[in-house]
Amino acid sequence: MSSALRIFVPVKRVIDFAVKVRVNPAKTDVDRNVKHSMNPFDEIAVEEAVRIKEKDPKTEVVAISCGSAKAQETLRTALAMGADRAVHVEVKDDSTLQPLAVAKLLQAFANKEEKKPDLFILGKQAIDDDSNQTGQMLAGLLNWPQTTFASKVDIENQSLKVTREIDGGLETISTKMPAIITTDLRLNEPRYASLPNIMKAKKKPLVKITPEDLGVDITPRLQTLKVEEPAKRQGGRKVENVDELLDKLKNEAKVL
Amino acid sequence: MLANTARIALKTRHAATLSRFYATGANGANTLLVVEHKDGKITGATLNALTAASKLGGEVTALVAGGDDAVAQAVAKCAGVNKVLTAADAAYSKNLPEDMAPLVAEIQKKYNFTHLFAGHTAVGKNVMPRVAALLDVAPVSDITAVEGEDTFVRPIYAGNAIATVKSSDPIKIVTVRGTAFEAAAAEGGNGAIEAAPEAAKANLTEWIGEEIQKSDRPDLATASRVISGGRGMKNGENFKLLYDLADKMGAAVGASRAAVDAGFVDNSLQVGQTGKIVAPELYIAVGISGAIQHLAGMKDSKTIVAINKDGDAPIFQVADYGLEADLFQAVPEMTEKL
């Protein structure tokens, strides 16, 4: 039997994927007064960590979220899915928290923990800022290998074989731990937390720390000058039949 | 000399637009373009990123890593490339970020570029943020417009909002959305080729192999025509109707999340917020209602066609041409008449 793994899973609270976001009247941000939930790619990350734990129950899964007080809801969801404990890095205004700062917070946390992580499993991107940066930056800061956009993960002892989604197909990489994995949509189908597990999650440990505790400067490097609605499409024209459709595509839109 | 004159001419031509830029220095931009190539060819996204980099108005140096001389020579001929740096070691040919990022960081330390550009592709997304971490810079992902030397436009919330962001970092690390910029001309340039400085190899990862889908159909993300099916297809077998039409049109096939979740097709075909973002010339949505998550992945398509028997489906609100009909009759009829 291999030695027990310790897996850190960073999760982010974002506007729910089914919500139609709207730009605020001041055009500085979107309206955040809407339903939030765990970033879908992070659910996949938690699920993967929990599946690893199910194969080897000695595995410890630690969920981490950087954000405002409400990030704790997201951490409770991760605990209800099967994470063992949670860490909340509390910041006042999570709308200005950027991937570089999050990567530095995670790096500082990993270095500070007495028991070092073997793996970080992150979502490939958050569906709010769509940056797709944090995992790669964390790997760079720690000088660990990175296996991004993972659709299959095989672990044996301290070795890792990951199949990655690349343009046009798949690629397989092998590496040693400690390492970073970022999840793609195909990796797994996340479970729903059952009611008993949601109740149990309320008793699991959740500690709160601050960026100051970790000694990390989270000043944003990117300033958002404005946020606008995308251009509206002029849709809505209907055609009568296939012949008219093909005629319009050939002669009007000239795309056939 | 010739290159210099051309640069001055370019600068003069851009003077009017440059005046509204937030100037970062008297010398203007000096950009490194990280070239992506595969099987001896420059990837299309690199040529789009070159166009975006050229909008900064300064010099563009291209990095070709992986030891492919033919690619380096082809890049040197691209319009807008002033110089090509080559890192000949074949260790770079698999684009492993653990080796690529230190190389780019080493080059940056020697040449002091103001901007590092690459395509927002699987490779660009993998390598550039790691480079940014090594240089302590916040990168800007997936830009759709260049507003100035430090100001860029990028979609957020899967394209449901458009943000204009200004970087306060001394180096701007940017990945470019290919569909938002024309490809640069592969001819007309005359860049000098020189060797890049050596960088230490990390040897952290091993490339095992790849499985590239050998389909005659074009790649979904870059296809100029896409036909997608939704829940209305009813089952996986019926997707053959779409494959037949796609083959007639030289189109790629996609799907809505509903079709993927129902198991009709593989996840890799999903178009939408959590799947692929496409912007083809022609997008045909078949049996797709048009949920916001799906629209997020295709609403920048040039021409959108909807085929759906529900005349009230939201997809008709964004479709340039909507055909209210039973797809099981309309699609075979289209295939036959093309």
Side-chain angles (χ1 to χ4, degrees):
Chain A
M1 203 62 201
S2 59
S3 61
L5 291 179
R6 182 166 295 103
I7 307 176
F8 286 11
V9 187
V11 293
K12 185 177 184 184
R13 178 177 179 267
V14 298
I15 292 179
D16 189 87
F17 76 94
V19 171
K20 168 92 178 93
V21 299
R22 304 211 179 273
V23 172
N24 67 11
K27 296 196 172 180
T28 53
D29 197 354
V30 298
D31 177 10
R32 288 170 184 268
N33 218 352
V34 292
K35 186 188 175 197
H36 282 61
S37 34
M38 190 190 294
N39 179 43
F41 291 104
D42 301 349
E43 287 184 351
I44 295 170
V46 175
E47 176 66 31
E48 194 65 19
V50 172
R51 286 186 190 191
I52 294 167
K53 183 183 166 70
E54 283 170 344
K55 281 189 202 142
D56 182 356
K58 290 202 298 291
T59 304
E60 188 188 24
V61 178
V62 184
I64 311 162
S65 193
C66 308
S68 66
K70 287 185 172 164
Q72 294 195 6
E73 295 165 12
T74 306
L75 288 169
R76 290 290 172 201
T77 305
L79 292 170
M81 287 174 74
D84 297 291
R85 61 184 172 100
V87 178
H88 177 209
V89 184
E90 185 166 25
V91 299
K92 282 185 195 72
D93 179 7
D94 49 16
S95 71
T96 60
L97 191 63
Q98 292 170 355
L100 180 61
V102 173
K104 286 182 177 179
L105 290 169
L106 295 172
Q107 177 202 20
F109 179 71
N111 287 336
K112 201 181 173 195
E113 280 274 282
E114 209 168 288
K115 296 173 176 173
K116 301 285 177 237
D118 302 284
L119 267 183
F120 267 98
I121 309 182
L122 305 86
K124 78 164 176 181
Q125 74 189 62
I127 60 162
D128 51 1
D129 66 31
D130 282 336
S131 292
N132 197 327
Q133 298 170 348
T134 306
Q136 296 89 311
M137 288 202 283
L138 177 61
L141 293 171
L142 290 166
N143 194 28
W144 287 5
Q146 67 189 56
T147 54
T148 52
F149 326 146
S151 60
K152 190 166 183 290
V153 172
D154 287 316
I155 292 176
E156 199 172 324
N157 295 322
Q158 289 288 307
S159 293
L160 191 62
K161 200 164 98 180
V162 175
T163 302
R164 307 180 54 237
E165 304 247 338
I166 58 169
D167 297 333
L170 300 169
E171 165 182 275
T172 305
I173 300 285
S174 89
T175 189
K176 294 242 184 301
M177 291 185 220
I180 306 287
I181 298 171
T182 77
T183 63
D184 216 319
L185 211 58
R186 269 212 271 194
L187 183 58
N188 61 46
E189 183 74 37
R191 71 195 64 192
Y192 290 100
S194 66
L195 189 60
N197 284 341
I198 293 170
M199 300 311 288
K200 265 189 245 166
K202 291 184 179 170
K203 297 202 177 84
K204 289 185 179 176
L206 191 159
V207 302
K208 195 166 85 175
I209 54 174
T210 65
E212 291 74 33
D213 295 338
L214 295 170
V216 173
D217 175 10
I218 58 164
T219 311
R221 305 284 187 86
L222 302 176
Q223 184 197 346
T224 301
L225 300 181
K226 64 181 174 191
V227 176
E228 294 168 298
E229 293 278 349
K232 290 266 181 293
R233 284 194 77 96
Q234 297 290 327
R237 285 178 58 198
K238 287 198 183 171
V239 294
E240 287 301 314
N241 50 45
V242 168
D243 289 323
E244 191 190 343
L245 176 60
L246 291 176
D247 177 66
K248 296 276 189 201
L249 291 178
K250 277 178 190 151
N251 302 315
E252 198 174 87
K254 300 193 194 309
V255 285
L256 279 184
Chain B
M1 195 59 213
L2 189 67
N4 252 338
T5 321
R7 184 157 71 93
I8 292 160
L10 195 70
K11 279 203 151 174
T12 319
R13 196 152 53 79
H14 278 97
T17 38
L18 273 173
S19 63
R20 69 184 169 88
F21 283 7
Y22 302 85
T24 50
N27 297 325
N30 184 15
T31 305
L32 180 73
L33 173 74
V34 180
V35 173
E36 187 183 337
H37 58 97
K38 193 168 173 64
D39 302 329
K41 284 190 187 131
I42 310 164
T43 61
T46 299
L47 296 174
N48 304 118
L50 172 56
T51 299
S54 299
K55 289 188 187 294
L56 296 165
E59 288 214 5
V60 177
T61 300
L63 167 65
V64 178
D68 195 319
D69 287 341
V71 170
Q73 281 161 21
V75 170
K77 292 195 185 79
C78 289
V81 172
N82 301 86
K83 187 159 74 178
V84 178
L85 295 175
T86 56
D89 199 316
Y92 299 121
S93 62
K94 301 303 181 193
N95 299 307
L96 294 175
E98 295 80 0
D99 294 323
M100 285 289 286
L103 171 68
V104 176
E106 194 64 38
I107 291 170
Q108 171 60 25
K109 280 169 193 156
K110 183 173 174 196
Y111 290 88
N112 288 313
F113 293 103
T114 57
H115 295 73
L116 308 180
F117 270 47
H120 191 67
T121 60
V123 171
K125 288 183 234 186
N126 200 22
V127 173
M128 299 306 273
R130 191 172 178 115
V131 173
L134 299 182
L135 298 171
D136 192 23
V137 168
V140 186
S141 289
D142 202 18
I143 66 156
T144 53
V146 175
E147 291 278 306
E149 288 187 0
D150 56 5
T151 307
F152 307 95
V153 178
R154 59 181 305 270
I156 53 175
Y157 294 92
N160 287 305
I162 308 295
T164 304
V165 296
K166 182 181 170 185
S167 164
S168 59
D169 281 317
I171 310 160
K172 280 68 176 165
I173 298 186
V174 173
T175 57
V176 177
R177 179 175 289 201
T179 53
F181 297 88
E182 297 285 317
E187 285 165 38
N190 185 23
I193 300 179
E194 60 182 73
E198 296 268 335
K201 309 271 184 328
N203 291 322
L204 286 171
T205 43
E206 188 192 347
W207 188 88
I208 305 281
E210 66 185 4
E211 266 177 71
I212 298 300
Q213 278 168 7
K214 295 224 177 4
S215 163
D216 292 337
R217 268 173 233 121
D219 178 54
L220 182 56
T222 53
S224 63
R225 294 168 183 172
V226 173
I227 302 172
S228 285
R231 201 193 304 272
M233 297 304 297
K234 291 203 168 83
N235 60 48
E237 286 79 61
N238 288 335
F239 263 74
K240 186 176 184 305
L241 297 175
L242 302 190
Y243 294 136
D244 291 344
L245 180 56
D247 290 343
K248 267 273 175 66
M249 295 175 48
V253 172
S256 69
R257 182 168 180 154
V260 171
D261 283 351
F264 299 172
V265 289
D266 190 81
N267 262 330
S268 61
L269 299 191
Q270 187 179 322
V271 172
Q273 188 164 23
T274 47
K276 291 201 167 63
I277 310 271
V278 301
E281 293 284 308
L282 174 61
Y283 188 89
I284 305 181
V286 182
I288 291 176
S289 64
I292 51 167
Q293 303 96 298
H294 185 74
L295 298 183
M298 45 64 81
K299 67 185 164 53
D300 291 330
S301 305
K302 196 160 160 255
T303 300
I304 296 175
V305 171
I307 301 174
N308 204 305
K309 65 181 177 191
D310 174 10
D312 296 326
I315 190 78
F316 284 119
Q317 290 162 26
V318 300
D320 299 284
Y321 305 106
L323 175 61
E324 195 180 325
D326 184 350
L327 71 92
F328 295 104
Q329 284 160 13
V331 173
E333 190 184 338
M334 274 182 83
T335 309
E336 194 188 300
K337 287 181 171 164
L338 271 171

